[in-house]
Amino acid sequence: MGVFRGRKVSTVLLSTGLCIGLACAAVAEQLSPQLAVERMALPEGFVAEVVASEPDIRQPVAIEFDERGRLWVIQYLQYPNPAGLKRVAWDRYSRTTYDRVPEPPPRGPRGADRITICEDTDGDGRADRFHDFVDGLNLATGLCFGHGGVYVLQVPYLLFYADRNRDDVPDGDPEVLLSGFGMEDAHSVANSLIFGPDGWLYGCQGSTVTSHIRGIEFQQGVWRYHRATDRFELFYEGGGNTWGVDFDPHGHLIACTNVGGYALLHGVQGGYYWKSFGKHGELHNPHAYGYFEHIPHTELHGGHVTCGGICYQGTAFPPEFRSAMITANLLSHRVDWHTLARLGSTFSAHFAGTLVEANDPWCAPCDLTVGPDGAVYFADWHDARTAHPDPDAEWDRTNGRVYRVRFRGAPPAPSADLARLPTDELVRLHAQADDWLRRQARRLLVARADAAAPSPLVDLVTQSDDSSTRLQALWTLLSCDQLDRKLAAELLADRDADLRRWIVRWIGQASPFDPAWSDALLELAAQEPDVDVRSQLASTARRLPPEVGLAIVERLIATDRDAADVQIPLLLWWAIEPHAVTEVATVSKRWSTSEAWHSQVFRQHLAARLARRWAAAQSPPTWQALSDLLRSAPDDRAVREVLLGANAGLTANLTQPPAELNDWLASQLPRNLTDEVWLQFAARVGDADAIGQARKLAFGAATAAPLRVAMVELLGRLLAPIDLPNLLQLFEEETSPALRKAALRALAGYDDPQIGVRLLALLPGLLPELQTAAIELLLSRGESAARLLEAVDNGQVASSVVPVAALTAVAGFQSSRLDELVRRHWGQIGAASPGERLAEVRRLNNDLRAAAGDARQGRVLFREHCGKCHRLFDEGQAVGPELTSANRHDREYLLTQIVDPSAVIRKEFLSYVVQTNDGRSLTGLIVEQSPQRVTLVDAQVNRVTVDAAVVETIEPALLSLMPERVLEKLTPAQVRDLFAYLQAPAAPAEK
């Protein structure tokens, strides 16, 4: 890559994209476990206590209690490199390729990880006996009890260690249940095992590894495994680097996240969620045409990492904690809690407070669990840093703690071995308010497989007056596979919506599907009043044979209850999409009708997606279906929605319209001479009249400005040679900046040397915004880039007008001459030395200590220098990370990020260099990637879209889009003002 120097990027333990890139001038002294507890700040009435610490346990990454009330700890001592493997290659995300796939234990390499049982024998609350259940593990990240043993995640395997005699010694070598979990990056491997209320074992998958399990490839998401049937499924895809998952009192899956501005994610069966598309590419279903975001959050505080979260359903905390999500906040050295409120079929979240403020930079909470006493226990990874700068870094493995947080006055848990309780007493525990008891009872009944258990459980479901008890008993029947069809049919019409929802889910995961359920599901879809049940019906419909699934979707659409819901419309689309092409005639017959358009769900959410899918397929049957859909549209607004979808689906321009569309196009032309959406569609499918009309509008001075801009950009998609001279002339002669920028975007697709010559001649006289756009265009092709760099070299163009980030594109040409020109005028493009950066941070720290800043004046500076790419206090643009919920109170962190923005770039904000097969090199954030196109946005918030068909490579850029030396332009007083605003708890009043 010539002068474009590579860099290894740090990664955060159990998080992604944020770590301290510079060494601190001083490192806080490590506190003893007891002193660490004394420094912690907790809400009134709460107390923290040490349960276990070094040297007995070290580097705890996962904790869980067994039925005897003993704490089990995974000591993640092998992190970050697996034992016995040779590193062959690694990339900037710390993804490593190893020389082989290790065998499972005990045949594979023996690592340092261990699972330790911590026992409190004298009742003083602190563990005093420690016994390893198993050692020699090699990157073990999750454990869960069940079926008479312990499930363990050791990538690439899901293992089961049987211990049926309960002597705390495995009965033999582990059983390998699954293999293929990715192991490229030890901070985002599969993790966090938990049994769901339905008896499936659920686990998380991080962001920077790729798993290949039974033909399913995925990077991010939540997966599940069913022991009795040996089935594996990806429950949902996406969601960032998830580490920690739990279920609320109704069985909703809530996961933790590492995405800035959010703390939680509501996982829905079959859902697609946000992920870092530039890094990981599109969703595995390229026709998902949308995805779910994280749970919207208010007043989120601290860093962007939550992990190890639990939904508190104990009785030992005050009532306001009931059903709250309590999460570890790794980077902010805290444990927080969040309340959830219903938002249609999903949730919104509110930051409710900090349960533990460690006031200790070594404290790194990473996992939580609830004990039999109802207290919350959290694992503290405990280290001076939370990142490994490179795979060979020295790592301190001498530390680690587990703490308990209890409410004063709460009664202690009775000391009992629940496994010794008879079956009828385990059943009675389902009526307990404490969820720890209920979950233990369910797990033990599943393992016991007692034929006497189903009958009293059925009695609880059918006779109890308490909805929660009924649901708990149903879950145990499901987990034991003891629900009979007669009871299920009764519950499908039950008064409790939760029971109806779980029966719908149970029906949908049977294999094969029993068609006898069809009529009952259709009747429910037509009448169901509860939004959660309708959501599950939509998820289940996708899993059923098309004749049943599509009929359920049709009923749900016809009821038209959910147009405003955040999730259900997309779930309905995901149920239709698998059949939209394979069953095109059936789908068209159901929804290319006037009746379908009466539904706002269909009109607002589904019609355009259907059109997009059919246009993307570009086959005679789908062209006919698109034509029928257009003819069924009841008004111009509906036609416009269909055409917007079709425009998005077109993968390439056609030379002549498909025969199936001819009649419809001919009937529309006279009344659409100025409709930009219609013209875009008609021109791209090859209609000569529409193309001619687009040219008239683009180059006609009397055309309204917005329409003219749209037509110029359309010509840039068509790339007809006949339009090139007119586009150049338009750029040279027009005065409208918007129109000139549109002309530049259109010209970018042409590979013609005269473009570079004429733009370079105009460059000195252009407005700054146009000048930057023209420079980026010039740098996008090798020949014009050479002209520009040589103009800088001979003094015709000042080097200061060329954005340094834009020079990243030049590396793609692999030209030693161009690299030399870059080096001569801008130096080495890449990271400065750590010493240089540290000196700059120290200088700025001195300026900041000299006096207080004015936050009101800092707000003005933020708008000028930062607001184009960042949002703070609901102000600015969301190109880069959102700052309101970032770790702004840490001045050292802010300085390091501003001084060297390219040192550590959050993965969702990495810029990319896109090389095309027609010789272009483009740089920016990827904001959309689909089978049809890739859209980039640059530091000036300009969007560039290229057809996917011409894309050759997409590689991460070495530089952040955020320019360097931002603070060098400011006086010391201005730096203080800006930081006063950046670190303000709330937006100050306008100056």
Side-chain angles (χ1 to χ4, degrees):
M1 294 288 269
V3 300
F4 294 82
R5 194 165 62 206
R7 179 202 325 265
K8 292 178 184 176
V9 177
S10 300
T11 51
V12 179
L13 173 67
L14 312 188
S15 70
T16 56
L18 175 64
C19 64
I20 303 303
L22 300 176
C24 295
V27 176
E29 182 181 354
Q30 181 187 7
L31 301 174
S32 69
Q34 190 56 43
L35 282 175
V37 162
E38 292 171 7
R39 183 171 289 190
M40 292 177 182
L42 296 94
E44 182 68 29
F46 285 90
V47 62
E49 297 162 326
V50 181
V51 174
S53 64
E54 68 273 4
D56 298 308
I57 62 161
R58 297 171 290 137
Q59 311 285 241
V61 76
I63 55 176
E64 192 54 79
F65 281 93
D66 66 14
E67 71 275 7
R68 295 183 236 185
R70 303 178 305 173
L71 182 69
W72 292 50
V73 179
I74 292 183
Q75 300 186 59
Y76 201 33
L77 298 167
Q78 189 60 50
Y79 176 84
N81 299 307
L85 303 185
K86 182 179 179 181
R87 195 167 56 245
V88 176
W90 60 94
D91 66 14
R92 68 179 303 182
Y93 311 112
S94 297
R95 290 184 296 203
T96 303
T97 301
Y98 296 103
D99 61 337
R100 61 192 173 92
V101 175
E103 289 190 89
R107 299 186 303 277
R110 183 175 174 81
D113 294 345
R114 56 189 61 221
I115 298 176
T116 303
I117 305 170
C118 310
E119 202 168 354
D120 174 14
T121 62
D122 57 11
D124 68 350
R126 184 157 185 166
D128 48 58
R129 179 185 295 168
F130 301 87
H131 168 72
D132 286 344
F133 175 73
V134 63
D135 62 8
L137 296 175
N138 201 6
L139 296 184
T141 53
L143 80 157
C144 189
F145 308 109
H147 298 100
V150 184
Y151 292 86
V152 175
L153 269 174
Q154 177 189 290
V155 291
Y157 304 107
L158 173 64
L159 307 171
F160 178 72
Y161 286 89
D163 181 20
R164 292 183 173 86
N165 62 5
R166 304 177 73 234
D167 64 352
D168 299 331
V169 177
D171 295 343
D173 292 348
E175 182 182 356
V176 177
L177 303 177
L178 296 172
S179 64
F181 289 105
M183 56 187 305
E184 301 97 308
D185 184 355
H187 87 277
S188 60
V189 291
N191 63 87
S192 305
L193 292 177
I194 183 173
F195 270 103
D198 51 5
W200 288 68
L201 181 66
Y202 289 74
C204 303
Q205 168 77 29
S207 62
T208 46
V209 300
T210 298
S211 293
H212 300 268
I213 300 176
R214 299 183 179 179
I216 300 174
E217 179 199 272
F218 61 101
Q219 287 87 30
Q220 303 170 17
V222 166
W223 52 270
R224 64 179 190 164
Y225 173 75
H226 194 255
R227 180 64 187 273
T229 58
D230 191 37
R231 291 167 61 189
F232 172 83
E233 295 181 357
L234 185 60
F235 188 72
Y236 70 75
E237 179 187 350
N241 193 15
T242 305
W243 198 292
V245 64
D246 201 2
F247 296 87
D248 80 352
H250 305 277
H252 294 290
L253 186 152
I254 310 296
C256 292
T257 186
N258 70 309
V259 178
Y262 302 99
L264 303 166
L265 181 149
H266 172 208
V268 176
Q269 186 178 33
Y272 295 102
Y273 290 79
W274 174 94
K275 64 177 184 172
S276 180
F277 298 107
K279 178 182 174 188
H280 296 295
E282 61 194 76
L283 293 162
H284 281 72
N285 178 2
H287 304 291
Y289 299 159
Y291 51 84
F292 294 154
E293 293 283 2
H294 291 69
I295 294 174
H297 215 294
T298 60
E299 299 185 26
L300 185 60
H301 297 205
H304 72 284
V305 174
T306 60
C307 52
I310 55 172
C311 182
Y312 185 78
Q313 297 170 67
T315 58
F317 276 21
E320 58 265 30
F321 284 87
R322 188 77 179 184
S323 301
M325 286 298 298
I326 304 177
T327 63
N329 192 323
L330 182 78
L331 297 183
S332 293
H333 319 292
R334 298 196 322 239
V335 175
D336 297 321
W337 62 292
H338 315 264
T339 55
L340 296 174
R342 293 314 304 260
L343 183 64
S345 65
T346 184
F347 298 91
S348 63
H350 177 76
F351 179 84
T354 295
L355 182 62
V356 178
E357 181 74 66
N359 295 311
D360 176 6
W362 286 58
C363 182
C366 59
D367 195 33
L368 297 153
T369 193
V370 176
D373 55 356
V376 169
Y377 294 70
F378 72 92
D380 173 10
W381 174 263
H382 201 74
D383 204 282
R385 60 181 182 175
T386 51
H388 55 270
D390 65 67
D392 297 316
E394 289 297 322
W395 194 256
D396 184 355
R397 298 181 177 89
T398 63
N399 309 303
R401 290 95 186 263
V402 175
Y403 299 103
R404 172 176 50 215
V405 179
R406 63 177 178 86
F407 192 69
R408 287 193 179 97
S415 56
D417 182 354
L418 297 181
R420 299 186 181 280
L421 295 179
T423 293
D424 60 341
E425 290 192 32
L426 289 177
V427 171
R428 281 195 289 271
L429 288 179
H430 287 69
Q432 287 282 337
D434 191 308
D435 195 53
W436 186 85
L437 290 171
R438 298 184 308 212
R439 294 191 188 195
Q440 295 291 336
R442 178 173 305 116
R443 177 175 65 78
L444 293 169
L445 287 171
V446 170
R448 189 171 294 181
D450 187 345
S455 180
L457 288 168
V458 169
D459 290 343
L460 282 180
V461 173
T462 57
Q463 299 174 21
S464 175
D465 294 328
D466 181 68
S467 296
S468 176
T469 299
R470 300 181 70 211
L471 183 59
Q472 294 288 333
L474 173 63
W475 283 342
T476 302
L477 286 171
L478 295 176
S479 298
C480 295
D481 195 24
Q482 292 294 324
L483 178 65
D484 64 52
R485 194 185 186 288
K486 181 177 181 296
L487 177 57
E490 294 173 1
L491 296 179
L492 202 58
D494 194 84
R495 66 183 185 274
D496 283 342
D498 278 339
L499 272 66
R500 298 197 301 273
R501 177 166 63 91
W502 278 94
I503 296 301
V504 171
R505 184 150 149 184
W506 174 76
I507 292 171
Q509 58 198 29
S511 182
F513 169 70
D514 182 355
W517 287 109
S518 300
D519 289 343
L521 290 174
L522 289 171
E523 182 179 353
L524 193 67
Q527 300 178 1
E528 177 55 54
D530 184 82
V531 68
D532 277 352
V533 181
R534 295 197 300 273
S535 174
Q536 184 59 56
L537 278 163
S539 289
T540 294
R542 183 181 175 189
R543 303 170 63 91
L544 304 182
E547 63 274 13
V548 182
L550 291 175
I552 290 172
V553 171
E554 186 176 36
R555 298 284 182 95
L556 291 169
I557 292 171
T559 62
D560 208 24
R561 295 173 181 262
D562 300 305
D565 191 79
V566 177
Q567 293 187 336
I568 290 178
L570 266 177
L571 289 173
L572 292 170
W573 166 244
W574 295 332
I576 294 171
E577 187 279 325
H579 315 298
V581 174
T582 59
E583 306 284 340
V584 61
T586 300
V587 173
S588 179
K589 184 178 179 180
R590 287 185 184 276
W591 287 294
S592 294
T593 66
S594 58
E595 291 79 12
W597 286 97
H598 294 313
S599 165
Q600 292 303 307
V601 173
F602 180 76
R603 179 184 282 263
Q604 295 175 21
H605 302 284
L606 302 179
R609 288 184 168 92
L610 265 178
R612 181 175 177 180
R613 184 66 186 93
W614 286 335
Q618 295 190 184
S619 68
T622 59
W623 286 130
Q624 184 60 58
L626 179 59
S627 177
D628 292 342
L629 183 61
L630 286 163
R631 292 177 189 279
S632 73
D635 49 52
D636 289 345
R637 185 176 177 184
V639 170
R640 185 180 179 87
E641 288 299 314
V642 174
L643 292 178
L644 284 169
N647 283 336
L650 290 171
T651 55
N653 302 320
L654 306 183
T655 56
Q656 62 181 20
E660 295 79 5
L661 290 174
N662 272 331
D663 290 345
W664 185 84
L665 287 169
S667 70
Q668 295 294 306
L669 181 59
R671 48 194 297 269
N672 288 287
L673 294 177
T674 59
D675 186 325
E676 67 180 77
V677 175
W678 186 90
L679 286 169
Q680 287 166 351
F681 174 74
R684 292 201 63 205
V685 297
D687 186 279
D689 292 333
I691 295 171
Q693 178 65 7
R695 288 192 176 111
K696 290 179 183 178
L697 296 172
F699 303 123
T703 305
L707 179 59
R708 196 175 181 195
V709 166
M711 292 300 99
V712 168
E713 292 182 341
L714 172 59
L715 296 180
R717 297 295 301 275
L718 299 176
L719 291 178
I722 194 175
D723 294 321
L724 177 57
N726 291 327
L727 289 169
L728 275 169
Q729 183 179 354
L730 186 150
F731 178 75
E732 291 169 340
E733 297 179 359
E734 277 294 333
T735 57
S736 163
L739 192 55
R740 298 184 83 184
K741 287 184 75 172
L744 280 176
R745 289 192 292 271
L747 288 167
Y750 287 92
D751 185 9
D752 192 302
Q754 66 173 312
I755 297 173
V757 174
R758 291 167 72 170
L759 287 186
L760 196 57
L762 294 168
L763 199 61
L766 296 178
L767 295 172
E769 189 176 2
L770 279 174
Q771 192 177 65
T772 298
I775 287 170
E776 290 178 343
L777 191 155
L778 289 167
L779 290 173
S780 70
R781 294 188 184 275
E783 186 173 342
S784 57
R787 290 182 184 276
L788 174 61
L789 296 177
E790 286 164 0
V792 170
D793 195 48
N794 62 33
Q796 291 176 279
V797 175
S799 63
S800 60
V801 305
V802 180
V804 175
L807 291 166
T808 304
V810 179
F813 301 126
Q814 298 185 349
S815 164
S816 58
R817 169 60 178 160
L818 298 187
D819 288 352
E820 171 56 30
L821 289 172
V822 170
R823 183 185 296 109
R824 186 180 302 169
H825 296 280
W826 293 274
Q828 194 84 359
I829 303 299
S833 71
E836 292 170 331
R837 298 304 186 196
L838 185 56
E840 178 71 358
V841 168
R842 286 172 172 165
R843 182 185 68 79
L844 290 165
N845 255 325
N846 289 335
D847 289 341
L848 289 168
R849 293 188 189 103
D854 183 344
R856 292 179 301 168
Q857 184 58 40
R859 186 176 195 169
V860 177
L861 292 165
F862 174 84
R863 289 169 177 163
E864 180 182 354
H865 297 281
C866 313
K868 184 179 287 187
C869 293
H870 297 280
R871 287 182 63 78
L872 178 60
F873 305 133
D874 296 322
E875 185 174 21
Q877 301 293 320
V879 176
E882 214 280 351
L883 300 181
T884 309
S885 60
N887 196 16
R888 295 181 293 115
H889 68 277
D890 187 336
R891 188 171 73 193
E892 198 80 21
Y893 161 71
L894 278 179
L895 277 174
T896 60
Q897 296 295 295
I898 295 172
V899 167
D900 190 6
S902 298
V904 180
I905 309 171
R906 287 266 300 280
K907 293 180 176 70
E908 62 267 37
F909 297 108
L910 276 171
S911 58
Y912 287 81
V913 179
V914 175
Q915 300 288 137
T916 66
N917 56 23
D918 61 351
R920 299 171 71 190
S921 182
L922 308 169
T923 303
L925 297 176
I926 295 179
V927 293
E928 181 188 353
Q929 187 173 3
S930 72
Q932 293 79 41
R933 59 188 55 84
V934 176
T935 300
L936 304 170
V937 61
D938 63 20
Q940 282 71 46
V941 203
N942 297 316
R943 296 172 73 93
V944 179
T945 299
V946 294
D947 288 337
V950 304
V951 173
E952 269 191 354
T953 61
I954 301 177
E955 298 291 342
L958 295 179
L959 293 183
S960 168
L961 284 184
M962 178 177 169
E964 297 190 8
R965 299 185 291 275
V966 170
L967 298 181
E968 289 182 12
K969 305 171 186 176
L970 306 181
T971 67
Q974 288 176 318
V975 171
R976 289 192 289 270
D977 292 344
L978 177 61
F979 269 71
Y981 179 64
L982 290 174
Q983 297 191 279
E990 292 282 358
K991 193 170 178 66

